[in-house]
């Protein structure tokens, strides 16, 4: 819901003589207009949120509305939301001063959609349903859009053209793409994702793993004191970690309890995507079955468009298929990196909004995170003892940021990436039995593991050595004791 903040206005569309430049006068006019809007009974979405002061607050459509004499007439239009992420019609003509009343009909059989025009937002209309919304008095041309994260970026917009004036370009809000949400001083994560892995139980032969993944859209903490409405598999900050061996079969029942279409794509199995990876509507389910034929730490993710949005909203996870000849270790952890793009500065579940898809396009994450939450392993550290062998399984879920996995003060004697050992402790085939490694380099959707022993007690930082990403939250510690 990045686009429905009260301060988010598109000012450059107007050809009706209303100034689109914000000023102190405009702000006063805006406040007056907001009062007018309230007195007309126009809903103001997001007006109960505790957004920080925004210089653009008010203004735009409301101010323009105040400048035009209401005609007392109403323009009524039916708009259909389609499965192609479009509105039909894509243009609504309104005489200046008329009230605009839209009946939004959702004919997309997979997704919920809404419609935002100016300060007014419909509810999220589910497949096959409709809603009639009064968008108030119209005085100048502007863009309407769907506020579901990513849908506007997919082209789900329409033009409201007032008195034949040129429709707006609907330029996206650049303030959102450059704004960085600050830390909350002294805040702690309520629930740290458990990164420790239990050893895989012994088995006589191939195993079938039956798992249900339920998609929910729920508020979660993504950094100490910062919340976001996440799109999840089973409600966690990332999806469950599945683990097995080559030859095992996985049967996943995907249940969509969300409000828009979702899907799933397991890299751990090779198959034709058409059926198992299809998008299912809210309330539907599918069964996705594959057999693991190759070892790896494989990504899975929602593959509904735009994938960048669904993946960074939380819909990703790892399937670990162990290589047969894995060396014994004393401890194992899993670290999955992803990115968080915040739509607002929410300090509680109640304030949480969905992500800001404009920031993804701009390549500007607010946080880069391990296992879905920034800096959580600074607070609750990975544990190890001197002389123990420790393995970190590492996956870069992206969607966009690479990972240079490094442990400050540590050296890897074994690294395995994308199905092969790069170096291995004591192995002569590497050309040198004394080789070491400082970084496991992973692009999005690549995975592997590292093994190391810690030489002495202390606190060893675990970082993405692309240092800006570590500073954005891809950072934790291993607490090593004697
Ligand atoms: Cu999804």
């Amino acid at each position: 819901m990045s686009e429905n903040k009260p301060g988010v206005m598109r000012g450059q569309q107007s050809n009706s003589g209303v100034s689109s430049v914000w000023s102190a006068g405009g702000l006063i006019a805006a406040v007056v207009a907001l009062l007018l809007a309230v007195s007309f009974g126009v809903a103001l979405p997001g007006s109960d949120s505790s957004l920080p002061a925004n210089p653009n607050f008010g203004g735009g459509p409301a101010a323009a509305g105040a400048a035009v004499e209401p005609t007392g007439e109403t323009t009524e239009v039916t708009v259909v939301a389609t499965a192609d992420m479009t509105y039909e019609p894509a243009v609504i003509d309104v005489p200046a001063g008329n009230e605009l009343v839209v009946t939004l009909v959702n004919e997309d059989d997979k997704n919920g959609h809404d419609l935002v025009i100016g300060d007014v937002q419909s509810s999220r209309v589910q497949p096959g349903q409709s809603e009639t919304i009064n968008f108030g008095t119209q005085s100048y041309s502007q863009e309407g859009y769907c506020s579901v994260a990513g849908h506007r970026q997919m082209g789900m917009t329409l033009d409201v053209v007032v008195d034949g004036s040129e429709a707006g370009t609907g330029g996206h809000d650049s303030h959102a793409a450059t704004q960085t949400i600050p830390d909350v001083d002294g805040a702690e994560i309520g629930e740290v994702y458990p990164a420790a892995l239990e050893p895989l139980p012994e088995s006589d032969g191939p195993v079938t793993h039956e798992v249900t993944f339920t998609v929910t859209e729920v508020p979660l903490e993504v950094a100490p004191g910062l919340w976001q409405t996440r799109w999840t598999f089973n409600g966690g900050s990332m999806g469950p970690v599945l683990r097995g061996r080559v030859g095992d079969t996985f049967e996943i029942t995907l249940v969509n309890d969300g409000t828009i279409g979702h899907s799933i794509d397991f890299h751990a199995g090779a198959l034709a995507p058409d059926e198992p990876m299809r998008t299912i509507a809210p309330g539907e389910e599918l069964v996705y079955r594959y057999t693991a034929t190759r070892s790896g730490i494989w990504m899975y993710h929602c593959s509904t468009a735009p994938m960048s949005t669904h993946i960074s909203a939380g819909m990703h996870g790892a399937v670990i298929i162990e290589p047969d000849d894995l060396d014994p270790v004393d401890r194992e952890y899993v670290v999955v990196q992803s990115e968080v793009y915040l739509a607002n500065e929410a300090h509680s579940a109640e304030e949480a909004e969905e992500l800001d898809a404009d920031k993804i396009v701009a390549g500007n994450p607010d946080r880069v995170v391990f296992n879905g939450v920034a800096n959580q392993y600074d607070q609750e550290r990975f544990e190890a003892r001197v002389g123990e062998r420790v393995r970190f399984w590492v996956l870069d879920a992206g969607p966009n940021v690479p990972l240079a996995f490094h442990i400050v003060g540590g050296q890897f004697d074994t690294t395995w990436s994308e199905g092969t050992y790069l170096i291995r402790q004591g192995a002569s085939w590497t050309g040198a039995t004394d080789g070491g490694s400082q970084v496991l380099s992973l692009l999005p959707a690549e995975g592997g593991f590292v093994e190391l022993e810690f030489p002495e007690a202390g606190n060893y930082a675990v970082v993405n050595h692309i240092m800006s990403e570590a500073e954005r939250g891809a950072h934790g510690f291993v607490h090593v004791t004697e």
Side-chain angles (χ1 to χ4, degrees):
M1 302 213 311
S2 64
E3 308 298 348
N4 66 348
K5 301 172 198 167
V8 175
M9 302 299 175
R10 283 138 295 280
Q12 69 273 53
Q13 305 95 322
S14 174
N15 283 342
S16 60
V18 176
S19 170
S20 63
V21 178
W22 314 124
S23 63
L27 200 58
I28 292 166
V31 171
V32 171
L34 281 170
L35 291 172
L36 284 169
V38 170
S39 70
F40 290 148
V42 177
L44 294 171
S47 57
D48 58 345
S49 80
S50 60
L51 283 166
N54 183 322
N56 288 347
F57 187 82
V68 165
E69 199 66 31
T71 60
E73 309 269 313
T74 300
T75 299
E76 293 180 36
V77 187
T78 295
V79 172
V80 174
T82 76
D84 299 326
M85 296 270 180
T86 61
Y87 293 116
E88 289 173 5
V91 178
I92 300 174
D93 290 302
V94 191
N98 272 24
E99 276 196 348
L100 174 61
V101 173
V102 174
T103 298
L104 178 64
V105 179
N106 186 3
E107 290 189 357
D108 182 348
D109 61 351
K110 302 260 195 281
N111 275 303
H113 295 290
D114 64 16
L115 177 60
V116 180
I117 298 173
D119 272 342
V120 184
Q121 178 181 18
S122 77
S123 57
R124 194 167 288 187
V125 179
Q126 288 305 309
Q129 300 188 347
S130 66
E131 179 176 291
T132 299
I133 316 103
N134 187 343
F135 287 99
T137 302
Q138 301 296 306
S139 65
Y140 80 114
S141 301
Q142 60 182 314
E143 186 182 74
Y145 59 89
C146 180
S147 80
V148 174
H151 286 193
R152 185 184 190 180
Q153 289 74 12
M154 295 273 292
M156 199 152 192
T157 63
L158 56 73
D159 292 318
V160 178
V161 179
V162 174
D163 272 353
S165 67
E166 290 234 340
T169 60
H172 295 181
D173 311 290
S174 56
H175 84 275
T178 55
Q179 175 190 32
T180 300
I181 307 286
D183 285 340
V184 180
D185 287 342
E188 294 219 325
I189 304 289
E191 207 169 324
V192 172
Y193 188 96
L197 293 172
E198 293 300 318
L200 198 54
E202 293 296 323
S203 72
D204 304 336
V207 173
T208 297
H209 307 259
E210 290 178 23
V211 195
T212 297
F213 276 21
T214 302
V215 178
T216 59
E217 298 159 7
V218 293
L220 291 174
E221 225 171 349
V222 290
L226 286 177
W227 291 72
Q228 181 181 52
T229 296
R230 301 282 280 176
W231 300 349
T232 79
F233 294 116
N234 289 357
S237 56
M238 69 171 182
V241 176
L242 304 183
R243 196 164 191 194
R245 295 188 175 88
V246 171
D248 284 2
T249 294
F250 292 81
E251 190 174 298
I252 288 86
T253 302
L254 179 71
V255 179
N256 186 355
D257 271 357
T259 63
I260 60 171
H262 294 290
S263 58
I264 198 160
D265 168 354
F266 285 95
H267 296 189
L271 43 67
D274 309 58
E275 283 300 307
M277 297 187 200
R278 71 186 188 274
T279 294
I280 56 170
E284 293 185 351
E285 58 181 72
L286 63 73
V287 175
Y288 189 129
R289 198 167 196 277
Y290 64 90
T291 298
T293 54
R294 296 184 177 90
S295 60
I297 172 166
W298 301 94
M299 181 175 177
Y300 67 81
H301 59 91
C302 178
S303 59
T304 299
M307 266 189 246
S308 57
T309 297
H310 287 252
I311 292 169
S312 50
M315 303 190 76
H316 61 260
V319 178
I320 297 174
I321 306 298
E322 290 190 355
D324 282 342
D325 60 344
L326 209 51
D327 292 325
V329 291
D330 300 296
R331 292 170 192 268
E332 286 185 283
Y333 293 106
V334 62
V335 173
V336 178
Q337 177 181 285
S338 64
E339 300 132 43
V340 170
Y341 302 86
L342 293 169
N344 70 329
E345 185 177 341
H347 295 162
S348 67
E350 292 70 35
E351 295 169 11
E353 295 182 7
E354 289 174 348
L355 60 73
D356 184 338
D358 280 344
K359 287 182 177 175
I360 305 178
V361 176
N364 188 23
D366 288 285
R367 296 293 184 278
V368 176
V369 301
F370 289 155
N371 297 345
V373 185
N375 298 108
Q376 59 181 331
Y377 304 111
D378 290 339
Q379 178 184 318
E380 207 166 293
R381 303 179 171 200
F382 304 104
E383 295 287 339
R385 288 208 177 84
V386 174
E388 283 182 337
R389 286 193 67 74
V390 184
R391 176 183 297 126
F392 283 86
W393 288 93
V394 189
L395 174 73
D396 185 5
N400 296 334
V401 173
L403 170 54
F405 186 81
H406 175 71
I407 299 182
V408 176
Q411 291 182 338
F412 310 139
D413 58 35
T414 300
T415 61
W416 190 93
S417 178
E418 288 291 290
T420 190
Y421 284 95
L422 303 179
I423 61 168
R424 189 171 190 181
Q425 187 200 27
S428 58
W429 50 262
T430 58
T433 54
D434 57 357
S437 170
Q438 60 208 297
V439 156
L440 178 62
S441 302
L442 302 172
L443 289 172
E446 287 188 326
F449 64 77
V450 300
E451 293 171 7
L452 75 167
E453 294 172 26
F454 295 94
E456 56 185 339
N459 294 287
Y460 296 71
V462 179
V463 301
N464 183 342
H465 214 294
I466 303 170
M467 294 314 315
S468 298
E469 313 306 356
E471 288 155 9
R472 283 190 174 105
H475 189 285
F477 283 103
V478 186
H479 179 229
V480 179
T481 52
E482 292 292 350

